[in-house]
Amino acid sequence: MWNYPDILAHRGGGKLAPENTIAGLRCGLEHGFRAVEFDVMLARDGVPVVMHDPYLGRTVAGAGNVFDYDAAELVTMDAGNWFGARFKGETVPLFTAFVQFCKDHGIWMNIEIKPAPGFEEETGRVVASLARALFGLEIARDDARRIPLLSSFSPVALAAAMQAAPDLPRALLLERLEEGWQDQARALQAVAIHTSHKHLDEAQARAVKDAGYGLFCYTVNDPARARTLLGWGVDAFCTDRIDLIGPDFA
Ligand code: G3P
Ligand code: MG
């Protein structure tokens, strides 16, 4: 079952703005998106920040690992200039600030827990506990349309999330569906399978749906491929091409 929006802006604003930034969220909003996927990991002091890579250098000016810096340092670092001079000054967001922006603008969230290697348990626990606190009201009201979906490639992080926040839904991220995926999904009490569309075929899509899970694909940038996936019963996907594939595409 999939009770969430069907087209999500990947990493905030897809490929039209620097990933995992507030500018990305604004860009998504300008394109009509009210649903987003983004990545979260821990700074040195255990405070979650919105980042994809466990190291600086690609999107964030600087060197070293995310866990070499406290969150207070990371939030001063430029995360926009790499993408374009007009985004200079855009900084690494705190998870809490990113969530607040989304809540203020009615944006639904797929929070990808992205632990740096060795931090799987801690990241799952911390992100889920904080999300539970931030969404306490929505959880109490059982307001499914406003409760975020936690996902991760790390079963360890998801297990920790399940323990810390059993009432927040979880999705198992898999690069491809391999033998044993059902056992993993069952153990984590996942509501959905998130997988790369590149390796998915129609029979697998049907197997996921027949097993009762939501099916979400990343990252779908070709409208024709998107139509095919939806025709197979894929419930939802995220896209980098928010200019080509709009929120009402499905
Ligand atoms: O959550 C789906 C997708 O974002 C996973 O890949 O590397 O873009 O985080 P990545
Ligand atoms: Mg991601």
Side-chain angles (χ1 to χ4, degrees):
M1 271 292 278
W2 182 264
N3 293 316
Y4 312 110
D6 36 34
I7 318 285
L8 277 60
H10 185 227
R11 303 186 195 174
K15 285 274 191 268
L16 299 194
E19 65 187 53
N20 291 321
T21 63
I22 298 291
L25 291 177
R26 287 191 199 284
C27 180
L29 282 172
E30 281 162 19
H31 285 78
F33 278 80
R34 296 289 182 284
V36 68
E37 182 272 355
F38 61 94
D39 309 291
V40 182
M41 69 182 62
L42 299 185
R44 179 172 57 195
D45 51 358
V47 175
V49 294
V50 181
M51 277 282 292
H52 180 274
D53 301 351
Y55 48 82
L56 310 187
R58 183 177 66 87
T59 63
V60 176
N65 299 304
V66 172
F67 56 76
D68 294 332
Y69 298 92
D70 288 344
E73 296 171 279
L74 290 166
V75 297
T76 67
M77 294 182 183
D78 190 286
N81 194 41
W82 69 279
F83 191 87
R86 74 190 173 94
F87 293 104
K88 193 174 164 64
E90 194 67 32
T91 53
V92 176
L94 283 179
F95 172 58
T96 48
F98 205 83
V99 166
Q100 193 57 53
F101 185 97
C102 289
K103 284 182 130 191
D104 290 346
H105 293 83
I107 302 171
W108 180 78
M109 289 160 257
N110 169 204
I111 300 168
E112 186 189 338
I113 304 171
K114 194 79 135 179
F119 293 83
E120 289 82 1
E121 194 279 333
E122 186 186 354
T123 310
R125 176 169 40 79
V126 170
V127 173
S129 315
L130 192 48
R132 190 168 197 254
L134 293 169
F135 290 90
L137 206 59
E138 291 82 355
I139 293 168
R141 288 182 182 150
D142 202 17
D143 189 354
R145 297 287 299 183
R146 291 183 207 281
I147 295 174
L149 177 60
L150 305 178
S151 60
S152 187
F153 286 106
S154 164
V156 172
L158 285 177
M162 177 164 70
Q163 208 169 12
D167 38 14
L168 280 179
R170 289 166 301 284
L172 176 61
L173 254 165
L174 298 166
E175 197 182 337
R176 56 180 82 224
L177 286 161
E178 281 171 343
E179 196 67 25
W181 69 265
Q182 291 217 37
D183 295 336
Q184 263 192 320
R186 201 177 303 116
L188 294 164
Q189 296 173 22
V191 300
I193 300 297
H194 291 199
T195 193
S196 169
H197 77 90
K198 289 183 185 160
H199 313 296
L200 187 71
D201 63 32
E202 188 169 7
Q204 289 174 326
R206 197 171 311 121
V208 173
K209 295 308 303 169
D210 287 351
Y213 295 100
L215 177 56
F216 173 98
C217 284
Y218 70 91
T219 301
V220 186
N221 297 328
D222 172 27
R225 179 64 173 166
R227 287 270 169 244
T228 300
L229 294 166
L230 294 170
W232 290 351
V234 169
D235 295 295
F237 60 84
C238 60
T239 184
D240 284 327
R241 292 304 307 270
I242 62 171
D243 50 338
L244 275 186
I245 300 177
D248 300 324
F249 182 85

